[in-house]
Amino acid sequence: ITPTSMTIIFLGITIGTIMTMSSSNWLMAWIGLELNMLAILPIISKPKTTRASEATTKYFLTQAIASAMMLLSSTMNAWQTGNWNILELKNKFSTTIMALSLMMKMGAAPIHFWLPEVLQGTTLQTALLITTWQKIAPVTLMYMISNNIQPTILVSAGILSMIIGGLGGINQTQLRKMMAYSSINNLGWTITIMAFFPNMALMNIFTYIIMTTPIFLMMTNMSTKTLQNLSTTWTTSMTMTLSITLLMLSTSGLPPFTGFMPKMLILNELISQKLTTLATLAI
């Protein structure tokens, strides 16, 4: 890919996300997401391998289905209410379909199956892009319609994401798949609290992005893709290995680290909302 092509592709990714975040109309938000999706496809398929082609196809199909669901939802809502405003999503059926389509775009359970496979089939830099930047637009849209979504749907999907994210990462030796399950788990926390305190959900996702970015950058620097590689890197770069270990512990939400702060605040909010059983499940 030539520098000019890369510039156009990255402009597409950036403009697509910004367009979705700043629009008040469903059609403009949809166009922004489509632009974003079409721009990232050449980046995923850049390594000329069968795995990369497979990852590109999986990413394209899931995102296209999610976009179609999003368009169906907003069209049905416009048919009922007579307007395309994002904040005016009043129809319950439309709201449910929209929530599911946004979860599919983010890679939250139960529609998460594409995420570990896509990350495994692409490079570390692209994996970083998918787990961080690509989540911003759908999370923003979910934040905007959070008042209209039934809390039961968000909480059910959130708890399921936490469980799948936690259990899925246990048996992995591939770091990219581990990071994918970490992403699913973190989205679970974000979606659960989105129903009660949307601002805290934003804080949680941005804390996650800030912690995930250096992990991927250090993995790229050291060319580590498996746990076995990571266990041998301490001989060449002890500081970086220690940093990755501490960042991973932080991402998992271990008490003294930064990653514990949003989780503690979320648990506190769930308990204050008289959702003690839910908070226990989350732990």
Side-chain angles (χ1 to χ4, degrees), residues 91-225:
N91 184 306
K92 272 189 179 180
F93 186 63
S94 297
T95 314
T96 308
I97 293 177
M98 184 62 73
L100 286 172
S101 75
L102 292 174
M103 285 173 203
M104 196 173 187
K105 280 209 167 285
M106 286 186 264
I111 327 165
H112 66 283
F113 300 100
W114 63 272
L115 187 63
E117 298 299 319
V118 169
L119 290 202
Q120 188 57 34
T122 188
T123 61
L124 287 166
Q125 294 96 318
T126 313
L128 166 64
L129 202 59
I130 294 168
T131 50
T132 55
W133 183 260
Q134 293 299 94
K135 291 201 183 343
I136 296 172
V139 167
T140 308
L141 286 176
M142 192 173 268
Y143 173 81
M144 289 165 85
I145 63 165
S146 58
N147 290 337
N148 301 325
I149 308 173
Q150 289 169 287
T152 321
I153 294 163
L154 288 176
V155 170
S156 306
I159 292 290
L160 195 62
S161 295
M162 284 182 208
I163 294 166
I164 287 169
L167 296 178
I170 290 172
N171 201 27
Q172 297 300 331
T173 54
Q174 295 288 337
L175 289 174
R176 280 168 294 180
K177 277 196 175 180
M178 275 177 68
M179 293 306 291
Y181 283 109
S182 162
S183 170
I184 293 164
N185 178 274
N186 193 271
L187 278 171
W189 287 89
T190 307
I191 292 167
T192 304
I193 199 63
M194 188 74 82
F196 310 104
F197 201 157
N199 289 351
M200 201 177 282
L202 285 191
M203 185 196 72
N204 183 53
I205 198 78
F206 283 114
T207 308
Y208 170 76
I209 289 171
I210 290 162
M211 289 186 301
T212 305
T213 307
I215 293 177
F216 273 110
L217 292 176
M218 283 190 274
M219 276 160 58
T220 309
N221 197 324
M222 297 192 294
S223 304
T224 50
K225 289 178 182 175

Side-chain angles (χ1 to χ4, degrees), residues 5 14 62 64 67 69 71 116 128 135 139 159 186 195 208 210 226 229 244 246 268 270:
S5 309
T14 314
T62 47
S67 292
M69 284 168 69
L71 208 53
L128 166 64
K135 291 201 183 343
V139 167
I159 292 290
N186 193 271
Y208 170 76
I210 290 162
T226 62
N229 287 358
I244 283 193
L246 292 175
N268 184 45
L270 290 175

